[in-house]
Amino acid sequence: MKVLVPVKRVIDFNIKPRVKADGSGVETAGVKMSMNPFDEIAVEEAVRLKEKGVATEIVAVSIGVQQAQDTLRTALAMGADRAILVLTDVAVEPLGVAKLLKALVAKESPELVILGKQAIDDDMNATGQMLAGLLGWPQGTFASRIEIADGRAAVTREIDGGLETLSLALPAIVTADLRLNEPRYASLPNIMKARKKPLETLVPGDLGVDVTPRLATLSVAEPPPRKEGIKVASAAELVARLRNEAKVI
Ligand code: AMP
């Protein structure tokens, strides 16, 4: 079973993003970039499926600038077999990413695509769902457990009331939630080995996809600073302050 894992290069989750001086977006120049954390979980799950003998090949895909190669090398060091970079300077929106992935699915014929549930830069939480819609494949989003057997994927997902398990006919789309697994660190020998693994570069035109954005960002601003909070001594004081100072009750 071939598994496709899309991985996005985003600002490292430890870094506090800064808005560009002209308010046109978030500053990425000179900022540490890493693999989207949910995508690390997706890669880890694919590697575990391979270790169990369920998956036979893992193909990591990234859509982005040349430096997204580093993100792909990380996926290769974690255990992916080969990588595809779809090179573009455009900040491709989820629908564009889903269209590119659909074209890659046609080219690669995976039986499972594991994405992150969301990319932590734009928090869109849309690409997996759009890809499932475009392909007409079943989807299991926010997976906290995946079991593959008899041509089906049992996907356990965290929902408001508890846990739900879906049985999806393969091929299928799964998106990874935080509790699916704990991703491994790539070891130095595996980082060295990853340098020799195949990495193919395409451009959106090779896949027949127009990635021109459909949304325009009007402005990006820092959230207003929060006022310092206070401690109250009693419920009565809280009510009095809410009534007389905050004037909210
Ligand atoms: P989003 O819908 O943007 O929150 O992203 C959800 C998931 O789609 C991510 O966790 C990735 O697995 C995948 N994805 C989104 N954008 C890209 C990209 N530019 N390259 C590769 N994968 C992506």
Side-chain angles (χ1 to χ4, degrees), residues 118-160:
Q118 75 194 66
I120 63 164
D121 49 2
D122 298 326
D123 277 344
M124 292 286 194
N125 178 5
T127 307
Q129 295 88 328
M130 286 181 173
L131 179 61
L134 292 176
L135 289 167
W137 286 11
Q139 59 181 302
T141 49
F142 316 139
S144 59
R145 189 178 161 89
I146 306 172
E147 292 286 333
I148 309 284
D150 306 324
R152 302 190 76 86
V155 176
T156 304
R157 34 198 318 268
E158 292 177 19
I159 56 168
D160 279 351

Side-chain angles (χ1 to χ4, degrees), residues 58-146:
I58 303 167
V59 183
V61 183
S62 196
I63 295 145
V65 293
Q66 191 69 45
Q67 294 92 318
Q69 274 202 8
D70 302 341
T71 313
L72 288 168
R73 290 283 171 213
T74 305
L76 294 170
M78 288 174 71
D81 297 288
R82 57 191 177 83
I84 303 172
L85 171 65
V86 182
L87 185 63
T88 173
D89 286 336
V90 175
V92 185
E93 293 165 0
L95 184 59
V97 174
K99 287 181 183 170
L100 290 168
L101 293 175
K102 181 186 178 205
L104 286 171
V105 164
K107 191 168 174 283
E108 294 285 339
S109 306
E111 275 186 274
L112 187 64
V113 182
I114 313 181
L115 305 93
K117 75 163 178 182
Q118 75 194 66
I120 63 164
D121 49 2
D122 298 326
D123 277 344
M124 292 286 194
N125 178 5
T127 307
Q129 295 88 328
M130 286 181 173
L131 179 61
L134 292 176
L135 289 167
W137 286 11
Q139 59 181 302
T141 49
F142 316 139
S144 59
R145 189 178 161 89
I146 306 172

Side-chain angles (χ1 to χ4, degrees), residues 10 44 57 59 117 121 132 185 231 234 237 249:
V10 297
E44 175 67 34
E57 192 185 21
V59 183
K117 75 163 178 182
D121 49 2
Y185 289 105
K231 274 191 181 169
S234 65
E237 187 191 344
I249 57 171

Side-chain angles (χ1 to χ4, degrees), residues 216-231:
T217 301
L218 301 181
S219 70
V220 178
E222 296 271 1
R226 285 176 60 171
K227 276 206 281 178
E228 205 178 325
I230 53 160
K231 274 191 181 169

